[in-house]
Amino acid sequence: MLTRKNSRTNESNSFIEESSLRTSLSAKLAENPLSQTSAYSLIGCSDEALGEVLAAAHAAKERFKPRVITYSRKVFLPLTNLCRDYCGYCTFRRDPGQPGAHTMTPDEVLQVARAGEKLGCTEALFSLGDKPELAFPQMRADLHRLGYSSTLQYLEAMCELVLRETTLLPHPNPGLLSAEWLKRLAVYSPSIGLMLETTSNDLMSPSRAHDNAPDKLPSKRLKTIEDAGRFGIPFTTGLLIGIGETPNDRVDTLIAIRNLHRRYGHIQEVIVQNFRVKPTIPMKSWPELSRGEMLRAVAVARLLMPDVNIQAPPNLSAPNYEELLEAGINDWGGISPLTPDFINPEAPWPHLEQLRSRTESKGYILKQRLPVYPEFVDRVSDHHGLLAQRLLASADEDGHARRAA
């Protein structure tokens, strides 16, 4: 009996100490922004300390947007999968003549958009290779037949087409953009995206993930994100982790995003996306991140940016993707009831009812948002024109999607 009593006392003391540690870290982070040095420490924390870090991240999320988790119901429009970059992890890109190489026609774009409209989608996500006409004469010829001189000019026209002919709101993700093209696309799109991926220049070295991918140079991508901030464009960016960067590199990338957001206030969403192995890529034998590494990265993203929307794709963390909620995300990203994830075709999105069930099982309410987050709706709708009209017609009084989720 005495031994059992001491055992129970030790268990009780251990629980009190652990709870105290969690409360201490949460309180400290609530008062002071997380420093780069502290972030290095937390992203490399021991398994024993991980629970404390997750608890602090979860508390930060609840201070930001309590009880609510959002997602965007979308159609995925791969406008063209031709690309001049050759990233070691990509299955999306093609060269002309390769099996699966395709550039969508305007009729195809509208057909998919209208089908998604019937299923309650509100986002038209345009993904495409980076300036393929600069590398491939066939792409220049295809654009000429369509009546355009560049891929970005064609993208602009397709964003306008979807905006005029459907109730969907375009969200283009076309790669590097000049200041002029950011302004042009923002006329028809309430938000624009570009994954920073990493600030590590080491990945540009021979045989690394971004070898032979000139558009992945971090300084160029940071310039696009900063230009979007100067124009006040709601912007989605994020990290691709597990492609050869170090944990400290992940922190550096998050700090770079945080610095731009502090300066301009335009980062509407930070995605923490984990690399997944595919059999046809140069990095097919690369090790994938562990569950703990993913949770650490998400939690540190939340702690570094407690007032920014943090997203992680559920399909890339299946089957137990609801664990990401413990690390402080407040959004699942774009989920399509119609089109596959063309970037990760081997990883289907969860059915929306399953997503709702998994989310609610953790005590949250799932809400459908637009491609632009609620807190940025007024910024876009202040402008006159068709985009503002379509946005206001799509948003409810809280800035979420007017359609029922």
PDB file of all heavy atoms in Angstrom, residues 182-205:
ATOM      1  N   LEU A 182       1.621  41.289 -60.861  1.00  0.00           N
ATOM      2  CA  LEU A 182       0.868  41.223 -59.604  1.00  0.00           C
ATOM      3  C   LEU A 182      -0.338  42.154 -59.661  1.00  0.00           C
ATOM      4  O   LEU A 182      -1.459  41.771 -59.295  1.00  0.00           O
ATOM      5  CB  LEU A 182       1.767  41.612 -58.435  1.00  0.00           C
ATOM      6  CG  LEU A 182       2.727  40.535 -57.929  1.00  0.00           C
ATOM      7  CD1 LEU A 182       3.802  41.155 -57.051  1.00  0.00           C
ATOM      8  CD2 LEU A 182       1.972  39.458 -57.152  1.00  0.00           C
ATOM      9  N   LYS A 183      -0.117  43.365 -60.118  1.00  0.00           N
ATOM     10  CA  LYS A 183      -1.215  44.335 -60.201  1.00  0.00           C
ATOM     11  C   LYS A 183      -2.267  43.889 -61.217  1.00  0.00           C
ATOM     12  O   LYS A 183      -3.473  44.055 -60.980  1.00  0.00           O
ATOM     13  CB  LYS A 183      -0.663  45.714 -60.550  1.00  0.00           C
ATOM     14  CG  LYS A 183       0.116  46.367 -59.414  1.00  0.00           C
ATOM     15  CD  LYS A 183       0.479  47.808 -59.693  1.00  0.00           C
ATOM     16  CE  LYS A 183       1.563  47.925 -60.746  1.00  0.00           C
ATOM     17  NZ  LYS A 183       2.017  49.330 -60.912  1.00  0.00           N
ATOM     18  N   ARG A 184      -1.835  43.325 -62.333  1.00  0.00           N
ATOM     19  CA  ARG A 184      -2.787  42.916 -63.360  1.00  0.00           C
ATOM     20  C   ARG A 184      -3.654  41.745 -62.883  1.00  0.00           C
ATOM     21  O   ARG A 184      -4.878  41.736 -63.070  1.00  0.00           O
ATOM     22  CB  ARG A 184      -2.042  42.552 -64.643  1.00  0.00           C
ATOM     23  CG  ARG A 184      -1.494  43.765 -65.372  1.00  0.00           C
ATOM     24  CD  ARG A 184      -0.719  43.406 -66.618  1.00  0.00           C
ATOM     25  NE  ARG A 184      -1.529  42.754 -67.644  1.00  0.00           N
ATOM     26  CZ  ARG A 184      -1.150  42.638 -68.924  1.00  0.00           C
ATOM     27  NH1 ARG A 184       0.027  43.159 -69.315  1.00  0.00           N
ATOM     28  NH2 ARG A 184      -1.915  42.023 -69.796  1.00  0.00           N
ATOM     29  N   LEU A 185      -3.029  40.759 -62.257  1.00  0.00           N
ATOM     30  CA  LEU A 185      -3.803  39.605 -61.787  1.00  0.00           C
ATOM     31  C   LEU A 185      -4.715  39.969 -60.628  1.00  0.00           C
ATOM     32  O   LEU A 185      -5.786  39.369 -60.456  1.00  0.00           O
ATOM     33  CB  LEU A 185      -2.854  38.477 -61.385  1.00  0.00           C
ATOM     34  CG  LEU A 185      -2.100  37.789 -62.526  1.00  0.00           C
ATOM     35  CD1 LEU A 185      -1.112  36.779 -61.973  1.00  0.00           C
ATOM     36  CD2 LEU A 185      -3.055  37.124 -63.512  1.00  0.00           C
ATOM     37  N   ALA A 186      -4.320  40.949 -59.825  1.00  0.00           N
ATOM     38  CA  ALA A 186      -5.133  41.359 -58.679  1.00  0.00           C
ATOM     39  C   ALA A 186      -6.440  42.026 -59.099  1.00  0.00           C
ATOM     40  O   ALA A 186      -7.364  42.142 -58.291  1.00  0.00           O
ATOM     41  CB  ALA A 186      -4.341  42.307 -57.781  1.00  0.00           C
ATOM     42  N   VAL A 187      -6.550  42.439 -60.348  1.00  0.00           N
ATOM     43  CA  VAL A 187      -7.805  43.015 -60.845  1.00  0.00           C
ATOM     44  C   VAL A 187      -8.908  41.956 -60.862  1.00  0.00           C
ATOM     45  O   VAL A 187     -10.086  42.260 -60.647  1.00  0.00           O
ATOM     46  CB  VAL A 187      -7.605  43.603 -62.258  1.00  0.00           C
ATOM     47  CG1 VAL A 187      -8.933  44.050 -62.864  1.00  0.00           C
ATOM     48  CG2 VAL A 187      -6.626  44.775 -62.215  1.00  0.00           C
ATOM     49  N   TYR A 188      -8.525  40.690 -61.098  1.00  0.00           N
ATOM     50  CA  TYR A 188      -9.515  39.615 -61.246  1.00  0.00           C
ATOM     51  C   TYR A 188      -9.429  38.563 -60.139  1.00  0.00           C
ATOM     52  O   TYR A 188     -10.230  37.618 -60.139  1.00  0.00           O
ATOM     53  CB  TYR A 188      -9.318  38.921 -62.599  1.00  0.00           C
ATOM     54  CG  TYR A 188      -9.355  39.884 -63.759  1.00  0.00           C
ATOM     55  CD1 TYR A 188      -8.201  40.179 -64.480  1.00  0.00           C
ATOM     56  CD2 TYR A 188     -10.540  40.538 -64.107  1.00  0.00           C
ATOM     57  CE1 TYR A 188      -8.227  41.084 -65.537  1.00  0.00           C
ATOM     58  CE2 TYR A 188     -10.567  41.443 -65.156  1.00  0.00           C
ATOM     59  CZ  TYR A 188      -9.412  41.714 -65.871  1.00  0.00           C
ATOM     60  OH  TYR A 188      -9.428  42.614 -66.903  1.00  0.00           O
ATOM     61  N   SER A 189      -8.491  38.718 -59.212  1.00  0.00           N
ATOM     62  CA  SER A 189      -8.262  37.698 -58.182  1.00  0.00           C
ATOM     63  C   SER A 189      -8.168  38.359 -56.818  1.00  0.00           C
ATOM     64  O   SER A 189      -7.334  39.242 -56.625  1.00  0.00           O
ATOM     65  CB  SER A 189      -6.960  36.933 -58.469  1.00  0.00           C
ATOM     66  OG  SER A 189      -6.909  36.473 -59.811  1.00  0.00           O
ATOM     67  N   PRO A 190      -8.967  37.924 -55.845  1.00  0.00           N
ATOM     68  CA  PRO A 190      -8.897  38.554 -54.528  1.00  0.00           C
ATOM     69  C   PRO A 190      -7.640  38.203 -53.755  1.00  0.00           C
ATOM     70  O   PRO A 190      -7.288  38.885 -52.794  1.00  0.00           O
ATOM     71  CB  PRO A 190     -10.141  38.001 -53.825  1.00  0.00           C
ATOM     72  CG  PRO A 190     -10.397  36.687 -54.487  1.00  0.00           C
ATOM     73  CD  PRO A 190     -10.005  36.881 -55.915  1.00  0.00           C
ATOM     74  N   SER A 191      -6.965  37.132 -54.160  1.00  0.00           N
ATOM     75  CA  SER A 191      -5.732  36.707 -53.507  1.00  0.00           C
ATOM     76  C   SER A 191      -4.839  36.018 -54.524  1.00  0.00           C
ATOM     77  O   SER A 191      -5.316  35.520 -55.550  1.00  0.00           O
ATOM     78  CB  SER A 191      -6.029  35.758 -52.339  1.00  0.00           C
ATOM     79  OG  SER A 191      -6.783  34.644 -52.799  1.00  0.00           O
ATOM     80  N   ILE A 192      -3.550  36.002 -54.234  1.00  0.00           N
ATOM     81  CA  ILE A 192      -2.559  35.389 -55.121  1.00  0.00           C
ATOM     82  C   ILE A 192      -1.631  34.554 -54.247  1.00  0.00           C
ATOM     83  O   ILE A 192      -1.439  34.855 -53.062  1.00  0.00           O
ATOM     84  CB  ILE A 192      -1.771  36.459 -55.907  1.00  0.00           C
ATOM     85  CG1 ILE A 192      -2.713  37.248 -56.817  1.00  0.00           C
ATOM     86  CG2 ILE A 192      -0.646  35.836 -56.739  1.00  0.00           C
ATOM     87  CD1 ILE A 192      -2.061  38.418 -57.533  1.00  0.00           C
ATOM     88  N   GLY A 193      -1.038  33.499 -54.820  1.00  0.00           N
ATOM     89  CA  GLY A 193      -0.164  32.642 -54.043  1.00  0.00           C
ATOM     90  C   GLY A 193       1.172  32.371 -54.696  1.00  0.00           C
ATOM     91  O   GLY A 193       1.280  32.320 -55.928  1.00  0.00           O
ATOM     92  N   LEU A 194       2.181  32.206 -53.862  1.00  0.00           N
ATOM     93  CA  LEU A 194       3.506  31.753 -54.289  1.00  0.00           C
ATOM     94  C   LEU A 194       4.175  31.120 -53.079  1.00  0.00           C
ATOM     95  O   LEU A 194       4.425  31.800 -52.078  1.00  0.00           O
ATOM     96  CB  LEU A 194       4.367  32.910 -54.806  1.00  0.00           C
ATOM     97  CG  LEU A 194       5.831  32.560 -55.100  1.00  0.00           C
ATOM     98  CD1 LEU A 194       5.920  31.672 -56.347  1.00  0.00           C
ATOM     99  CD2 LEU A 194       6.681  33.806 -55.280  1.00  0.00           C
ATOM    100  N   MET A 195       4.470  29.846 -53.146  1.00  0.00           N
ATOM    101  CA  MET A 195       5.180  29.186 -52.058  1.00  0.00           C
ATOM    102  C   MET A 195       6.640  29.649 -52.045  1.00  0.00           C
ATOM    103  O   MET A 195       7.349  29.509 -53.046  1.00  0.00           O
ATOM    104  CB  MET A 195       5.123  27.673 -52.223  1.00  0.00           C
ATOM    105  CG  MET A 195       3.749  27.079 -51.991  1.00  0.00           C
ATOM    106  SD  MET A 195       3.224  27.103 -50.261  1.00  0.00           S
ATOM    107  CE  MET A 195       4.133  25.692 -49.629  1.00  0.00           C
ATOM    108  N   LEU A 196       7.063  30.196 -50.923  1.00  0.00           N
ATOM    109  CA  LEU A 196       8.480  30.523 -50.778  1.00  0.00           C
ATOM    110  C   LEU A 196       9.289  29.232 -50.757  1.00  0.00           C
ATOM    111  O   LEU A 196      10.387  29.164 -51.290  1.00  0.00           O
ATOM    112  CB  LEU A 196       8.689  31.332 -49.490  1.00  0.00           C
ATOM    113  CG  LEU A 196      10.124  31.685 -49.114  1.00  0.00           C
ATOM    114  CD1 LEU A 196      10.844  32.417 -50.244  1.00  0.00           C
ATOM    115  CD2 LEU A 196      10.151  32.522 -47.828  1.00  0.00           C
ATOM    116  N   GLU A 197       8.779  28.215 -50.156  1.00  0.00           N
ATOM    117  CA  GLU A 197       9.373  26.884 -50.008  1.00  0.00           C
ATOM    118  C   GLU A 197      10.524  26.888 -49.019  1.00  0.00           C
ATOM    119  O   GLU A 197      10.493  26.207 -48.012  1.00  0.00           O
ATOM    120  CB  GLU A 197       9.786  26.284 -51.359  1.00  0.00           C
ATOM    121  CG  GLU A 197       8.604  26.050 -52.289  1.00  0.00           C
ATOM    122  CD  GLU A 197       8.923  25.155 -53.457  1.00  0.00           C
ATOM    123  OE1 GLU A 197      10.035  24.574 -53.519  1.00  0.00           O
ATOM    124  OE2 GLU A 197       8.050  25.037 -54.346  1.00  0.00           O
ATOM    125  N   THR A 198      11.589  27.641 -49.302  1.00  0.00           N
ATOM    126  CA  THR A 198      12.728  27.699 -48.401  1.00  0.00           C
ATOM    127  C   THR A 198      13.564  28.924 -48.720  1.00  0.00           C
ATOM    128  O   THR A 198      13.547  29.412 -49.863  1.00  0.00           O
ATOM    129  CB  THR A 198      13.598  26.435 -48.508  1.00  0.00           C
ATOM    130  OG1 THR A 198      14.691  26.522 -47.578  1.00  0.00           O
ATOM    131  CG2 THR A 198      14.161  26.277 -49.909  1.00  0.00           C
ATOM    132  N   THR A 199      14.284  29.422 -47.739  1.00  0.00           N
ATOM    133  CA  THR A 199      15.255  30.495 -47.976  1.00  0.00           C
ATOM    134  C   THR A 199      16.661  29.936 -48.097  1.00  0.00           C
ATOM    135  O   THR A 199      17.630  30.704 -48.208  1.00  0.00           O
ATOM    136  CB  THR A 199      15.228  31.528 -46.838  1.00  0.00           C
ATOM    137  OG1 THR A 199      15.384  30.854 -45.576  1.00  0.00           O
ATOM    138  CG2 THR A 199      13.918  32.308 -46.839  1.00  0.00           C
ATOM    139  N   SER A 200      16.810  28.613 -48.104  1.00  0.00           N
ATOM    140  CA  SER A 200      18.126  27.992 -48.188  1.00  0.00           C
ATOM    141  C   SER A 200      18.633  27.980 -49.627  1.00  0.00           C
ATOM    142  O   SER A 200      18.075  27.281 -50.486  1.00  0.00           O
ATOM    143  CB  SER A 200      18.075  26.557 -47.652  1.00  0.00           C
ATOM    144  OG  SER A 200      19.300  25.896 -47.871  1.00  0.00           O
ATOM    145  N   ASN A 201      19.697  28.720 -49.875  1.00  0.00           N
ATOM    146  CA  ASN A 201      20.322  28.703 -51.199  1.00  0.00           C
ATOM    147  C   ASN A 201      21.058  27.397 -51.465  1.00  0.00           C
ATOM    148  O   ASN A 201      21.373  27.082 -52.618  1.00  0.00           O
ATOM    149  CB  ASN A 201      21.297  29.880 -51.339  1.00  0.00           C
ATOM    150  CG  ASN A 201      20.585  31.212 -51.501  1.00  0.00           C
ATOM    151  OD1 ASN A 201      19.748  31.377 -52.380  1.00  0.00           O
ATOM    152  ND2 ASN A 201      20.897  32.169 -50.641  1.00  0.00           N
ATOM    153  N   ASP A 202      21.325  26.626 -50.408  1.00  0.00           N
ATOM    154  CA  ASP A 202      22.030  25.365 -50.594  1.00  0.00           C
ATOM    155  C   ASP A 202      21.253  24.411 -51.496  1.00  0.00           C
ATOM    156  O   ASP A 202      21.848  23.569 -52.178  1.00  0.00           O
ATOM    157  CB  ASP A 202      22.267  24.686 -49.242  1.00  0.00           C
ATOM    158  CG  ASP A 202      23.285  25.417 -48.385  1.00  0.00           C
ATOM    159  OD1 ASP A 202      24.020  26.271 -48.937  1.00  0.00           O
ATOM    160  OD2 ASP A 202      23.343  25.157 -47.169  1.00  0.00           O
ATOM    161  N   LEU A 203      19.927  24.538 -51.499  1.00  0.00           N
ATOM    162  CA  LEU A 203      19.119  23.624 -52.304  1.00  0.00           C
ATOM    163  C   LEU A 203      19.189  23.931 -53.799  1.00  0.00           C
ATOM    164  O   LEU A 203      18.649  23.176 -54.610  1.00  0.00           O
ATOM    165  CB  LEU A 203      17.663  23.642 -51.833  1.00  0.00           C
ATOM    166  CG  LEU A 203      17.410  23.172 -50.401  1.00  0.00           C
ATOM    167  CD1 LEU A 203      15.925  22.988 -50.153  1.00  0.00           C
ATOM    168  CD2 LEU A 203      18.163  21.905 -50.071  1.00  0.00           C
ATOM    169  N   MET A 204      19.873  25.043 -54.148  1.00  0.00           N
ATOM    170  CA  MET A 204      20.105  25.353 -55.561  1.00  0.00           C
ATOM    171  C   MET A 204      21.360  24.655 -56.085  1.00  0.00           C
ATOM    172  O   MET A 204      21.639  24.692 -57.282  1.00  0.00           O
ATOM    173  CB  MET A 204      20.264  26.870 -55.752  1.00  0.00           C
ATOM    174  CG  MET A 204      19.130  27.717 -55.249  1.00  0.00           C
ATOM    175  SD  MET A 204      17.587  27.532 -56.178  1.00  0.00           S
ATOM    176  CE  MET A 204      18.052  28.123 -57.797  1.00  0.00           C
ATOM    177  N   SER A 205      22.118  24.001 -55.207  1.00  0.00           N
ATOM    178  CA  SER A 205      23.388  23.370 -55.581  1.00  0.00           C
ATOM    179  C   SER A 205      23.153  22.136 -56.445  1.00  0.00           C
ATOM    180  O   SER A 205      22.056  21.561 -56.442  1.00  0.00           O
ATOM    181  CB  SER A 205      24.168  22.983 -54.322  1.00  0.00           C
ATOM    182  OG  SER A 205      24.381  24.098 -53.494  1.00  0.00           O
TER     183      SER A 205
END
